[in-house]
Amino acid sequence: METAYQKKNVVWDWLTTVDHKKIAILYLIGGTLFFMKAGVMAILMRLQLMYPEQSLLSGQTYNELLTMHGTIMLFLAVTPLIFAFMNYIVPLQIGARDVAFPFLNALGFWIFFFGGLLLSLSWFLGGAPDAGWFAYTPLSTREYGSSGMDFYVLGLQVSGLGTLISGINFIVTIINMRAPGMTMMRLPLFCWTTLIVSILIVFAFTPLAAGLAMLMLDRLFGAQFFQVDAGGNVVLWQHIFWVFGHPEVYILVLPAFGIISEVVPAFSRKRLFGYTTMVFAVLLIAFLGFMVWVHHMFTVGIGPIANSVFALSSMAIAVPTGIKIFNWLFTMWGGKITFSTAMLCASSFVPTFVLGGITGVMVAMAPVDHLYHDTYFVVAHFHYIFIGGIILGLFAGLYYWYPKMFGHLLNETLGQWMFWLMYIGFHVTFFVQHILGLIGMPRRYFTYMDGEGLNTYNFISTMGTFLMTAAVVVLIINIIYSAWKGERVQSGDPWGARTLEWSIPSPVPEYNFAQVPQVRALDPWFYEKVHGDGSMKAATPVEDIHMPTPSILPFIMAFGLFWWGLGMTMMPMEQPWLPPFIVIAAGVVLTFGAMIVRSVKEDHGHHIPKETVESMERGR
């Protein structure tokens, strides 16, 4: 039987891979492509608002760009980029050779990818969704929403299924796959945040799936969940969406917290301050995250008692977040800090996220929220969380783990240019939007009148987007340049880091660990460098290593779901290019056919022989 260490066709290798490291790179590529797409949409919107009464975009096109920008960033850009680091790093940090369910891991990626592709097809088949990324009813119902909303509903249902599968996979991996000695209170913070986020995904994406199913039934089959004249309730959608929507903020930001908690100790040459309190702060944030969704609905009119309860819980969540901020500061305090690009991103994350958190507490005050609600103040607030927090965290993780993933360093000079362009451009873009909101500019408006005092701030905001665009261009140049000219990693640990992934070669061999490591302390790699002989102790001898067999079935299943969803979006079309039920039937056959093949075909994986492992280790 052919094994993964033998030569094979490159395209087939990537289509059939179940290796968590290759799937991580697929997530990285897919998330980056969607990120760039959403970024282009943001630039077009800011160009429209650069001057008053611009006619670059029509109101309809602006609504479509606004909806797709938010939806792509939330579901198809930031989420897969986070899953890229989870996939690559978590098994290495816990001493595992793969995730618990490699087949499901590949299936999760391909379902995400084809769900995003289905959503993107809306541009070419009648127009993109236009009801906002939150899809409030009745704007998203058949009566008011365009046909693009069908792609929104079906695309997110498919893509969300992939995210849900991946979340379950990581829960099982972290609970069951840890190396000997890797107790729960020795888990790196990134693993803790991955575990908590995976639990949040299970509990948050389920109500979203239910809400999307209800909206789909309304739009395609004439149900009445959100039809007011038939006894439905439009506010029901807001509750369902925000029960998902606010935990989703923490689904995205907690992994960034985990990355910062890995980067700051590594470049401060100190152990993470208050590890135990950090763990419990993450748990408390996750718990409170499900108790604050109504602060998105203070102006709906649900009453002063409910508003007061949710205002208090929204402000309470600042306490565990503040604990983490002080722990990062105390970790840096007195440390021998090296300001690499990764550390610049990580350390600048702290004040930027604090500013976003402060404005979050402001909008958590129900009476004051009536002033801020639906103004650019809210736009500035959540961009300080998403870009100033999550994106800076992802950049820190990219520069920190890039040599582990690809075997060479990114250029530091280009990296610092990228950081300063992004950091300055971000603040120029979004800080003035707080002022725009306070002087009354509504969000989601595609134009504004001259003489209202909004011209200067909108012009400044647009200038900032040009700097952020330049930063992304510099990053792309850095990646291309470093692939040819970048410094090759001579050891597995170019940073003098602390956690287990740095104890093995870079890039990582297919089997991760030739011998399962024995973990003897928190920060096990640092412990062995100081108290041991500079290498991890082995918990097992060198032996044949069992590995999962590559499979094309995840790709086929996801491809079938894509056609299934596409067929359903074609049902309301007046002149579909194919009979919808033929397309749906093709999707059903592909999906369930692949599932049946997977069920009846015995697959026991394959083994990398002991002699091959020893030879590869000697070669390294």
Side-chain angles (χ1 to χ4, degrees), residues 521-542:
L522 180 66
D523 293 342
W525 177 230
F526 178 80
Y527 180 88
E528 297 299 339
K529 288 190 289 188
V530 174
H531 300 285
D533 60 2
S535 62
M536 291 301 302
K537 301 294 181 288
T540 61
V542 180

PDB file of all heavy atoms in Angstrom, residues 521-542:
ATOM      1  N   ALA A 521       6.301  18.871  33.090  1.00  0.00           N
ATOM      2  CA  ALA A 521       6.004  20.160  33.713  1.00  0.00           C
ATOM      3  C   ALA A 521       5.205  21.022  32.752  1.00  0.00           C
ATOM      4  O   ALA A 521       5.085  20.720  31.560  1.00  0.00           O
ATOM      5  CB  ALA A 521       7.308  20.879  34.097  1.00  0.00           C
ATOM      6  N   LEU A 522       4.643  22.114  33.292  1.00  0.00           N
ATOM      7  CA  LEU A 522       4.118  23.165  32.436  1.00  0.00           C
ATOM      8  C   LEU A 522       5.280  23.754  31.640  1.00  0.00           C
ATOM      9  O   LEU A 522       6.398  23.836  32.137  1.00  0.00           O
ATOM     10  CB  LEU A 522       3.462  24.254  33.303  1.00  0.00           C
ATOM     11  CG  LEU A 522       2.850  25.454  32.578  1.00  0.00           C
ATOM     12  CD1 LEU A 522       1.650  25.042  31.742  1.00  0.00           C
ATOM     13  CD2 LEU A 522       2.444  26.525  33.587  1.00  0.00           C
ATOM     14  N   ASP A 523       5.038  24.155  30.406  1.00  0.00           N
ATOM     15  CA  ASP A 523       6.114  24.572  29.502  1.00  0.00           C
ATOM     16  C   ASP A 523       7.162  23.466  29.397  1.00  0.00           C
ATOM     17  O   ASP A 523       8.330  23.631  29.786  1.00  0.00           O
ATOM     18  CB  ASP A 523       6.784  25.862  29.986  1.00  0.00           C
ATOM     19  CG  ASP A 523       5.862  27.072  29.910  1.00  0.00           C
ATOM     20  OD1 ASP A 523       4.847  26.997  29.186  1.00  0.00           O
ATOM     21  OD2 ASP A 523       6.162  28.081  30.565  1.00  0.00           O
ATOM     22  N   PRO A 524       6.790  22.290  28.880  1.00  0.00           N
ATOM     23  CA  PRO A 524       7.656  21.104  28.958  1.00  0.00           C
ATOM     24  C   PRO A 524       8.971  21.258  28.196  1.00  0.00           C
ATOM     25  O   PRO A 524      10.005  20.756  28.643  1.00  0.00           O
ATOM     26  CB  PRO A 524       6.803  19.988  28.352  1.00  0.00           C
ATOM     27  CG  PRO A 524       5.753  20.687  27.543  1.00  0.00           C
ATOM     28  CD  PRO A 524       5.487  21.981  28.240  1.00  0.00           C
ATOM     29  N   TRP A 525       8.971  21.964  27.066  1.00  0.00           N
ATOM     30  CA  TRP A 525      10.204  22.120  26.300  1.00  0.00           C
ATOM     31  C   TRP A 525      11.198  23.000  27.056  1.00  0.00           C
ATOM     32  O   TRP A 525      12.381  22.693  27.149  1.00  0.00           O
ATOM     33  CB  TRP A 525       9.875  22.698  24.932  1.00  0.00           C
ATOM     34  CG  TRP A 525      11.053  22.993  24.042  1.00  0.00           C
ATOM     35  CD1 TRP A 525      11.290  24.147  23.378  1.00  0.00           C
ATOM     36  CD2 TRP A 525      12.126  22.124  23.684  1.00  0.00           C
ATOM     37  NE1 TRP A 525      12.436  24.072  22.639  1.00  0.00           N
ATOM     38  CE2 TRP A 525      12.972  22.832  22.809  1.00  0.00           C
ATOM     39  CE3 TRP A 525      12.456  20.822  24.033  1.00  0.00           C
ATOM     40  CZ2 TRP A 525      14.139  22.276  22.271  1.00  0.00           C
ATOM     41  CZ3 TRP A 525      13.615  20.263  23.486  1.00  0.00           C
ATOM     42  CH2 TRP A 525      14.442  20.987  22.624  1.00  0.00           C
ATOM     43  N   PHE A 526      10.721  24.074  27.651  1.00  0.00           N
ATOM     44  CA  PHE A 526      11.595  24.932  28.449  1.00  0.00           C
ATOM     45  C   PHE A 526      12.133  24.169  29.662  1.00  0.00           C
ATOM     46  O   PHE A 526      13.308  24.296  30.022  1.00  0.00           O
ATOM     47  CB  PHE A 526      10.820  26.174  28.906  1.00  0.00           C
ATOM     48  CG  PHE A 526      11.611  27.099  29.780  1.00  0.00           C
ATOM     49  CD1 PHE A 526      12.522  27.982  29.229  1.00  0.00           C
ATOM     50  CD2 PHE A 526      11.441  27.089  31.160  1.00  0.00           C
ATOM     51  CE1 PHE A 526      13.262  28.841  30.040  1.00  0.00           C
ATOM     52  CE2 PHE A 526      12.176  27.931  31.965  1.00  0.00           C
ATOM     53  CZ  PHE A 526      13.088  28.813  31.408  1.00  0.00           C
ATOM     54  N   TYR A 527      11.276  23.373  30.267  1.00  0.00           N
ATOM     55  CA  TYR A 527      11.701  22.594  31.439  1.00  0.00           C
ATOM     56  C   TYR A 527      12.846  21.654  31.082  1.00  0.00           C
ATOM     57  O   TYR A 527      13.827  21.549  31.833  1.00  0.00           O
ATOM     58  CB  TYR A 527      10.508  21.802  31.977  1.00  0.00           C
ATOM     59  CG  TYR A 527      10.837  20.953  33.191  1.00  0.00           C
ATOM     60  CD1 TYR A 527      10.744  21.486  34.475  1.00  0.00           C
ATOM     61  CD2 TYR A 527      11.224  19.622  33.056  1.00  0.00           C
ATOM     62  CE1 TYR A 527      11.051  20.711  35.588  1.00  0.00           C
ATOM     63  CE2 TYR A 527      11.534  18.838  34.156  1.00  0.00           C
ATOM     64  CZ  TYR A 527      11.436  19.397  35.415  1.00  0.00           C
ATOM     65  OH  TYR A 527      11.747  18.622  36.520  1.00  0.00           O
ATOM     66  N   GLU A 528      12.746  20.978  29.950  1.00  0.00           N
ATOM     67  CA  GLU A 528      13.806  20.034  29.568  1.00  0.00           C
ATOM     68  C   GLU A 528      15.097  20.761  29.187  1.00  0.00           C
ATOM     69  O   GLU A 528      16.192  20.240  29.409  1.00  0.00           O
ATOM     70  CB  GLU A 528      13.334  19.163  28.396  1.00  0.00           C
ATOM     71  CG  GLU A 528      12.139  18.264  28.705  1.00  0.00           C
ATOM     72  CD  GLU A 528      12.418  17.266  29.825  1.00  0.00           C
ATOM     73  OE1 GLU A 528      13.597  16.978  30.108  1.00  0.00           O
ATOM     74  OE2 GLU A 528      11.443  16.767  30.429  1.00  0.00           O
ATOM     75  N   LYS A 529      14.967  21.973  28.643  1.00  0.00           N
ATOM     76  CA  LYS A 529      16.177  22.742  28.317  1.00  0.00           C
ATOM     77  C   LYS A 529      16.900  23.196  29.577  1.00  0.00           C
ATOM     78  O   LYS A 529      18.130  23.272  29.592  1.00  0.00           O
ATOM     79  CB  LYS A 529      15.813  23.955  27.448  1.00  0.00           C
ATOM     80  CG  LYS A 529      15.415  23.599  26.019  1.00  0.00           C
ATOM     81  CD  LYS A 529      15.309  24.825  25.129  1.00  0.00           C
ATOM     82  CE  LYS A 529      14.108  25.671  25.474  1.00  0.00           C
ATOM     83  NZ  LYS A 529      13.903  26.766  24.482  1.00  0.00           N
ATOM     84  N   VAL A 530      16.146  23.468  30.645  1.00  0.00           N
ATOM     85  CA  VAL A 530      16.753  23.974  31.881  1.00  0.00           C
ATOM     86  C   VAL A 530      17.108  22.842  32.841  1.00  0.00           C
ATOM     87  O   VAL A 530      18.201  22.817  33.417  1.00  0.00           O
ATOM     88  CB  VAL A 530      15.793  24.977  32.570  1.00  0.00           C
ATOM     89  CG1 VAL A 530      16.345  25.400  33.935  1.00  0.00           C
ATOM     90  CG2 VAL A 530      15.585  26.196  31.689  1.00  0.00           C
ATOM     91  N   HIS A 531      16.195  21.879  32.999  1.00  0.00           N
ATOM     92  CA  HIS A 531      16.384  20.833  34.016  1.00  0.00           C
ATOM     93  C   HIS A 531      16.765  19.491  33.422  1.00  0.00           C
ATOM     94  O   HIS A 531      17.119  18.571  34.168  1.00  0.00           O
ATOM     95  CB  HIS A 531      15.097  20.680  34.842  1.00  0.00           C
ATOM     96  CG  HIS A 531      14.690  21.932  35.554  1.00  0.00           C
ATOM     97  ND1 HIS A 531      15.333  22.392  36.680  1.00  0.00           N
ATOM     98  CD2 HIS A 531      13.712  22.831  35.276  1.00  0.00           C
ATOM     99  CE1 HIS A 531      14.766  23.519  37.094  1.00  0.00           C
ATOM    100  NE2 HIS A 531      13.768  23.810  36.258  1.00  0.00           N
ATOM    101  N   GLY A 532      16.673  19.341  32.097  1.00  0.00           N
ATOM    102  CA  GLY A 532      17.019  18.071  31.467  1.00  0.00           C
ATOM    103  C   GLY A 532      18.255  18.211  30.602  1.00  0.00           C
ATOM    104  O   GLY A 532      19.122  19.061  30.839  1.00  0.00           O
ATOM    105  N   ASP A 533      18.298  17.382  29.577  1.00  0.00           N
ATOM    106  CA  ASP A 533      19.466  17.393  28.680  1.00  0.00           C
ATOM    107  C   ASP A 533      19.180  18.123  27.369  1.00  0.00           C
ATOM    108  O   ASP A 533      19.918  17.983  26.395  1.00  0.00           O
ATOM    109  CB  ASP A 533      19.918  15.963  28.398  1.00  0.00           C
ATOM    110  CG  ASP A 533      18.829  15.125  27.726  1.00  0.00           C
ATOM    111  OD1 ASP A 533      17.737  15.689  27.454  1.00  0.00           O
ATOM    112  OD2 ASP A 533      19.062  13.929  27.473  1.00  0.00           O
ATOM    113  N   GLY A 534      18.115  18.910  27.323  1.00  0.00           N
ATOM    114  CA  GLY A 534      17.812  19.676  26.116  1.00  0.00           C
ATOM    115  C   GLY A 534      16.988  18.928  25.089  1.00  0.00           C
ATOM    116  O   GLY A 534      16.828  19.410  23.969  1.00  0.00           O
ATOM    117  N   SER A 535      16.487  17.748  25.437  1.00  0.00           N
ATOM    118  CA  SER A 535      15.618  16.991  24.538  1.00  0.00           C
ATOM    119  C   SER A 535      14.484  16.392  25.356  1.00  0.00           C
ATOM    120  O   SER A 535      14.645  16.134  26.556  1.00  0.00           O
ATOM    121  CB  SER A 535      16.395  15.890  23.811  1.00  0.00           C
ATOM    122  OG  SER A 535      16.924  14.960  24.744  1.00  0.00           O
ATOM    123  N   MET A 536      13.362  16.174  24.697  1.00  0.00           N
ATOM    124  CA  MET A 536      12.213  15.616  25.396  1.00  0.00           C
ATOM    125  C   MET A 536      12.452  14.152  25.731  1.00  0.00           C
ATOM    126  O   MET A 536      13.000  13.392  24.925  1.00  0.00           O
ATOM    127  CB  MET A 536      10.950  15.736  24.535  1.00  0.00           C
ATOM    128  CG  MET A 536      10.455  17.158  24.332  1.00  0.00           C
ATOM    129  SD  MET A 536      10.039  18.038  25.859  1.00  0.00           S
ATOM    130  CE  MET A 536       8.782  16.957  26.559  1.00  0.00           C
ATOM    131  N   LYS A 537      12.049  13.753  26.922  1.00  0.00           N
ATOM    132  CA  LYS A 537      12.097  12.340  27.306  1.00  0.00           C
ATOM    133  C   LYS A 537      11.005  11.593  26.557  1.00  0.00           C
ATOM    134  O   LYS A 537       9.909  12.112  26.343  1.00  0.00           O
ATOM    135  CB  LYS A 537      11.902  12.185  28.813  1.00  0.00           C
ATOM    136  CG  LYS A 537      12.945  12.931  29.646  1.00  0.00           C
ATOM    137  CD  LYS A 537      14.321  12.340  29.439  1.00  0.00           C
ATOM    138  CE  LYS A 537      15.371  13.048  30.287  1.00  0.00           C
ATOM    139  NZ  LYS A 537      15.682  14.403  29.809  1.00  0.00           N
ATOM    140  N   ALA A 538      11.296  10.365  26.142  1.00  0.00           N
ATOM    141  CA  ALA A 538      10.350   9.568  25.368  1.00  0.00           C
ATOM    142  C   ALA A 538       9.507   8.700  26.285  1.00  0.00           C
ATOM    143  O   ALA A 538      10.024   8.084  27.227  1.00  0.00           O
ATOM    144  CB  ALA A 538      11.089   8.711  24.356  1.00  0.00           C
ATOM    145  N   ALA A 539       8.212   8.650  25.999  1.00  0.00           N
ATOM    146  CA  ALA A 539       7.317   7.776  26.753  1.00  0.00           C
ATOM    147  C   ALA A 539       7.133   6.434  26.067  1.00  0.00           C
ATOM    148  O   ALA A 539       6.631   5.488  26.675  1.00  0.00           O
ATOM    149  CB  ALA A 539       5.955   8.444  26.938  1.00  0.00           C
ATOM    150  N   THR A 540       7.558   6.327  24.795  1.00  0.00           N
ATOM    151  CA  THR A 540       7.436   5.079  24.039  1.00  0.00           C
ATOM    152  C   THR A 540       8.731   4.845  23.264  1.00  0.00           C
ATOM    153  O   THR A 540       9.451   5.800  22.956  1.00  0.00           O
ATOM    154  CB  THR A 540       6.257   5.147  23.044  1.00  0.00           C
ATOM    155  OG1 THR A 540       6.490   6.226  22.114  1.00  0.00           O
ATOM    156  CG2 THR A 540       4.943   5.371  23.761  1.00  0.00           C
ATOM    157  N   PRO A 541       9.039   3.586  22.914  1.00  0.00           N
ATOM    158  CA  PRO A 541      10.207   3.323  22.068  1.00  0.00           C
ATOM    159  C   PRO A 541       9.908   3.665  20.615  1.00  0.00           C
ATOM    160  O   PRO A 541       8.762   3.927  20.236  1.00  0.00           O
ATOM    161  CB  PRO A 541      10.418   1.814  22.241  1.00  0.00           C
ATOM    162  CG  PRO A 541       9.051   1.283  22.537  1.00  0.00           C
ATOM    163  CD  PRO A 541       8.352   2.347  23.337  1.00  0.00           C
ATOM    164  N   VAL A 542      10.939   3.678  19.791  1.00  0.00           N
ATOM    165  CA  VAL A 542      10.731   3.836  18.353  1.00  0.00           C
ATOM    166  C   VAL A 542      10.076   2.566  17.823  1.00  0.00           C
ATOM    167  O   VAL A 542      10.572   1.454  18.069  1.00  0.00           O
ATOM    168  CB  VAL A 542      12.068   4.088  17.622  1.00  0.00           C
ATOM    169  CG1 VAL A 542      11.814   4.240  16.120  1.00  0.00           C
ATOM    170  CG2 VAL A 542      12.747   5.334  18.162  1.00  0.00           C
TER     171      VAL A 542
END
